[in-house]
Amino acid sequence: MVETGEELALMRVSGRLLASVFEMLDRMDLAGLSTLAVNDRVERFITDTLKARPASKTDRSRRRDVGRVRRAEPARPGVRVRARR
């Protein structure tokens, strides 16, 4: 898939935001924190400091190719795939 210049620019911005999240995590002392507590801190950093929306809070119906199952791909044994509504 070939991206447009606008899509590439958005991908660069997303990459910079993600890099800043990892830098914030590198500065944090995570010892003894649950994954939920780390997730909450990261989400707060993204919304309050970066003024962005976490990908986990994005409306999945607007994101292309997320969760899309291609018919050509063989199913993994023991994994059920729900039909799209």
Side-chain angles (χ1 to χ4, degrees):
M1 172 181 289
V2 177
E3 283 85 7
T4 66
E6 182 180 337
E7 289 171 325
L8 290 172
L10 290 171
M11 290 168 68
R12 279 191 291 275
V13 170
S14 297
R16 287 187 197 111
L17 291 172
L18 181 58
S20 64
V21 170
F22 284 128
E23 289 170 2
M24 181 269 304
L25 284 170
D26 285 341
R27 292 188 305 265
M28 284 179 60
D29 179 20
L30 302 176
L33 290 178
S34 68
T35 53
L36 182 60
V38 173
N39 180 71
D40 290 345
R41 288 184 184 195
V42 168
E43 191 171 301
R44 204 171 318 117
F45 176 76
I46 292 170
T47 55
D48 297 346
T49 304
L50 299 179
K51 306 295 185 212
R53 183 179 52 219
S56 61
K57 302 298 183 191
T58 302
D59 180 8
R60 291 181 147 257
S61 65
R62 294 183 184 194
R63 292 179 11 209
R64 87 182 150 189
D65 295 332
V66 173
R68 186 177 294 174
V69 176
R70 294 181 179 90
R71 294 181 195 268
E73 294 177 7
R76 293 180 295 176
V79 177
R80 293 179 182 221
V81 178
R82 289 187 294 164
R84 295 187 78 155
R85 295 179 201 182

